[in-house]
Amino acid sequence: MNSKRSIQMLLAEDNASDADLILASLAKVGLAEVIHVVHDGVETLDFLFCRGEYADRLQEPSIRVIVLDVKLPKVDGFEVLRELKADARTRSIPVVMLTSSNIERDVARGYQLGVNSYLQKPIDFERFRETVRHLGLYWMTMNEPPPVWSRIGAGQ
Amino acid sequence: MVREPPKVLTSSGGETKGQGVALPVMVYPAQDSPLLDALMDGESVHQLLVDSRGDYAVFMLDSNGIVASWNKGAEQIKGYSRDEIVGRHFSVFYPAEDRTRGKPERELVIAARDGRFEDEGKRVRKDGSEFWANVVLSAVRDRTDALVGFVKVTRDLTEERAARERALTNAQALEAVNAELEAFTYSVSHDLRAPIRQIEGFSKILEEHLGKSLDPQVEHYLRRIQDGSQQMGRLVDDLLHLAQLGRQHAKPRLTSLDSLIDEVLTNLRAEIMERDVKCRVGALPTVVCDPGLMKVVFTNLVSNAVKYTRRREKAVIEIGHVVKDGEPVIYVRDNGVGFDMKYADKLFGVFQRLHRAEEFEGAGVGLATVSRIIRKHNGTIWAEAAPDQGATFFFTLGTAAPDETTHTG
């Protein structure tokens, strides 16, 4: 996505319908344009580390939150999370898991790997929409992101 | 000289593990007699050995481990006749690797030191075949406490061990099937969630996009889609809950049902107040149960009572308990529409409903959940009702710790 506005949310969601519903929910609060959607774990990592099809992407510090599904194809959400938290360039970007799984084991695993928030996708659409809206508003407008220098300078 | 016969005492060396054999310990007069003499002459000892049950090899060893006596059981189990074995060292009963490691001798040392040695392991028959044996070796001492020899009781456990292993394999297989079934239910209901939300979501978005210009007929159809998807959503949620219940272990602790029902009624206040339902709560016992699961039980039973008294002008729900055979029987009674007892066996099945959906909504998962929880507690649940005469649900909570019953759900 090469829009004028910089990307503020990276949404890793392989289900196109769910991705649409999330975008539609955030469009209502004017946040849809600053979201970039990736569709599997490999693409998520490629985007964040500017590899593969994203090799030309500038490592922009504008991303305020990564929204991660657990069941991503190729590389699953936990593995993505593990790699993000292991790398100084991406470690401090807040990660929210948004998933249909509320198995205790998955929740525990997410937190062990350093997830910043874990949300279950509500089955009821109204509640789903509310949850997504809150998520977007909170992480993209209310939460104070880590200072830019702490990301760019990290790892030196 | 006349030898005093040996006295036979019951061993103080403890019980044999689950074998039910009280080992005899022989106390011999001290004045003379090497062990062999005592064995050969001591009529009652001999009798004791010979009369022992045939499935036990009972024989004696002198203090060096040389076989000194032999019974019928020993002949049957080990294959040696008395003449063949008496006078030989007992290490012939052991597999070669045990012999090289000095296991037989070590056992004698332990038995001499502790008075008794018990072992379970491989032993060898005369023909070289192996069997699985339980072995108890007991030291025999005279009045001066000098070691004179050992009594050895060997039992062939080959059959028993095979049966044990078969039982274990069956139990494991059953557990695996159960776990698989639960995982399947879980993933099915889990994977159904997303498409349901999508149907509902897109129909809502469509409705919003069409806005005020919406044709009433189109609006009606969209509503139908939404109703249907919402209903399916609840169904899947209920199923998911039921599947999770199967995996969950009950965590029983002492629980006051009095305060538990207060909590449940507080949570259900909206439902109860809405129709001015009268709730009469009697004294409830303090029992051992999983409080979280028990809340689910009462919530379901009371919600049902509220639901099925809908047509009553004066709806009354009674919650209380009676003591039957020393055990508390808890009940939830309502004066609602009741049901015909001939359908009572369908009451607790998943997706079983006794009323049409237009009359009373519901998926038929509530009572299945309740029944599953009660079973987890080793309790029973049953109902008494008549059409239009209300219904009463009774349940007991088993006295046994419910912890180990959770796998079968």
Side-chain angles (χ1 to χ4, degrees):
Chain A
M1 182 186 278
N2 294 317
S3 67
K4 307 113 250 154
R5 294 181 65 182
S6 54
I7 295 163
Q8 290 187 17
M9 178 195 282
L10 182 67
L11 172 61
E13 172 63 70
D14 70 307
N15 185 313
S17 291
D18 268 3
D20 261 8
L21 290 178
I22 290 169
L23 290 176
S25 306
L26 290 172
K28 286 222 156 189
V29 286
L31 291 172
E33 289 165 44
V34 293
I35 299 170
H36 181 77
V37 184
V38 283
H39 307 91
D40 62 51
V42 172
E43 193 187 351
T44 309
L45 291 168
D46 280 354
F47 179 92
L48 287 163
F49 294 120
C50 307
R51 308 184 299 219
E53 59 175 307
Y54 294 100
D56 297 334
R57 191 181 80 89
L58 287 176
Q59 183 112 33
E60 51 200 314
S62 63
I63 291 181
R64 295 174 70 131
V65 65
I66 299 165
V67 177
L68 202 57
D69 192 4
V70 167
K71 285 183 189 155
L72 287 175
K74 295 184 192 170
V75 174
D76 77 7
F78 292 122
E79 182 54 28
V80 170
L81 182 61
R82 203 187 57 71
E83 288 192 35
L84 292 185
K85 293 297 179 188
D87 194 299
R89 289 170 293 170
T90 48
R91 183 181 298 147
S92 55
I93 308 173
V95 179
V96 176
M97 285 202 138
L98 179 64
T99 167
S100 45
S101 161
N102 71 337
I103 309 174
E104 243 179 51
R105 195 186 49 222
D106 284 355
V107 180
R109 189 150 171 232
Y111 280 110
Q112 268 157 15
L113 291 171
V115 81
N116 301 78
S117 176
Y118 192 107
L119 292 170
Q120 194 193 5
K121 291 176 182 168
I123 190 161
D124 171 80
F125 176 67
E126 276 312 328
R127 278 174 47 222
F128 176 85
R129 180 144 70 177
E130 265 315 283
T131 302
V132 170
R133 223 178 266 165
H134 279 128
L135 184 168
L137 287 171
Y138 178 80
W139 290 101
M140 292 203 278
T141 69
M142 292 164 75
N143 185 57
E144 190 71 47
V148 169
W149 59 261
S150 78
R151 292 198 239 168
I152 293 173
Q156 313 290 306
Chain B
M1 87 184 249
V2 179
R3 189 171 290 149
E4 201 182 316
K7 296 180 181 74
V8 178
L9 303 177
T10 305
S11 167
S12 57
E15 300 123 42
T16 59
K17 233 186 288 161
Q19 309 304 322
V21 192
L23 262 188
V25 163
M26 268 52 76
V27 181
Y28 291 93
Q31 56 262 47
D32 57 18
S33 86
L35 174 75
L36 275 175
D37 282 359
L39 290 176
M40 293 311 152
D41 296 354
E43 202 55 37
S44 59
V45 176
H46 207 70
Q47 208 50 47
L48 173 87
L49 300 183
V50 171
D51 289 349
S52 287
R53 286 170 51 184
D55 48 351
Y56 288 89
V58 183
F59 54 98
M60 302 192 101
L61 307 176
D62 72 7
S63 54
N64 296 316
I66 303 295
V67 177
S69 83
W70 200 240
N71 81 337
K72 278 253 161 51
E75 197 171 322
Q76 264 170 35
I77 292 176
K78 309 228 184 218
Y80 297 96
S81 70
R82 178 194 303 270
D83 294 342
E84 284 170 324
I85 197 69
V86 169
R88 290 178 67 184
H89 194 258
F90 85 116
S91 59
V92 295
F93 306 138
Y94 288 74
E97 63 269 21
D98 283 352
R99 284 206 300 271
T100 22
R101 275 192 266 122
K103 184 174 156 76
E105 291 77 12
R106 215 165 43 242
E107 289 182 2
L108 289 188
V109 172
I110 296 171
R113 188 192 63 202
D114 300 344
R116 182 173 182 279
F117 175 82
E118 181 165 356
D119 185 34
E120 206 172 281
K122 266 189 216 156
R123 294 295 184 272
V124 183
R125 296 193 189 90
K126 182 189 167 191
D127 63 8
S129 61
E130 288 183 338
F131 66 101
W132 192 260
N134 169 274
V135 174
V136 178
L137 198 57
S138 298
V140 182
R141 292 178 180 279
D142 66 17
R143 283 219 171 107
T144 65
D145 212 28
L147 182 73
V148 289
F150 302 91
V151 177
K152 199 171 185 213
V153 180
T154 302
R155 193 171 157 215
D156 187 346
L157 291 183
T158 311
E159 276 295 305
E160 198 178 306
R161 190 175 183 234
R164 248 180 354 218
E165 271 169 6
R166 275 197 302 275
L168 198 66
T169 316
N170 287 346
Q172 279 166 346
L174 192 63
E175 203 167 297
V177 168
N178 265 330
E180 207 171 295
L181 201 62
E182 270 162 21
F184 174 74
T185 316
Y186 187 85
S187 78
V188 165
S189 37
H190 195 262
D191 294 347
L192 283 175
R193 293 174 138 250
I196 295 166
R197 174 178 55 243
Q198 289 155 6
I199 296 167
E200 191 194 349
F202 287 117
S203 72
K204 269 220 173 102
I205 291 173
L206 197 58
E207 189 184 342
E208 285 162 12
H209 270 265
L210 293 172
K212 296 273 182 287
S213 64
L214 200 59
D215 175 335
Q217 199 61 34
V218 174
E219 189 181 359
H220 173 77
Y221 291 145
L222 283 174
R223 276 286 140 70
R224 283 285 161 143
I225 295 173
Q226 284 160 28
D227 286 352
S229 57
Q230 271 168 8
Q231 195 190 331
M232 185 149 177
R234 276 194 302 271
L235 207 71
V236 166
D237 266 356
D238 286 348
L239 251 191
L240 201 60
H241 190 232
L242 193 66
Q244 272 170 330
L245 209 63
R247 315 172 138 213
Q248 202 176 326
H249 282 255
K251 296 186 191 78
R253 58 185 157 93
L254 206 59
T255 308
S256 154
L257 292 183
D258 270 331
S259 38
L260 193 134
I261 192 76
D262 280 351
E263 242 179 279
V264 169
L265 292 177
T266 309
N267 291 340
L268 292 173
R269 200 168 37 200
E271 275 180 59
I272 293 169
M273 299 295 257
E274 195 185 334
R275 276 191 17 247
D276 192 26
V277 177
K278 218 167 225 82
C279 268
R280 293 190 195 132
V281 185
L284 289 174
T286 293
V287 295
V288 175
C289 68
D290 182 315
L293 293 178
M294 206 41 60
K295 245 181 247 173
V296 175
V297 167
F298 278 114
T299 304
N300 270 297
L301 291 178
V302 175
S303 293
N304 271 356
V306 172
K307 178 159 81 181
Y308 292 110
T309 52
R310 189 180 293 158
R311 297 202 206 126
R312 289 282 178 271
E313 239 166 72
K314 284 183 180 144
V316 180
I317 298 171
E318 284 174 77
I319 301 155
H321 86 286
V322 290
V323 176
K324 203 176 159 196
D325 301 327
E327 201 186 0
V329 178
I330 296 131
Y331 63 82
V332 176
R333 175 175 294 140
D334 67 59
N335 63 342
V337 293
F339 57 85
D340 192 327
M341 280 301 279
K342 73 177 169 205
Y343 303 119
D345 58 325
K346 290 193 172 169
L347 215 47
F348 300 104
V350 185
F351 293 143
Q352 298 285 355
R353 306 209 57 233
L354 301 188
H355 300 275
R356 285 199 314 248
E358 303 93 86
E359 284 181 302
F360 294 101
E361 72 291 344
V365 177
L367 283 178
T369 306
V370 167
S371 142
R372 189 174 272 210
I373 293 172
I374 298 296
R375 259 187 293 152
K376 262 182 195 294
H377 285 80
N378 292 340
T380 7
I381 181 159
W382 68 98
E384 282 169 14
D388 221 32
Q389 303 286 307
T392 309
F393 286 85
F394 299 91
F395 67 87
T396 61
L397 296 167
T399 42
D403 223 356
E404 62 238 352
T405 63
T406 40
H407 284 298
T408 48

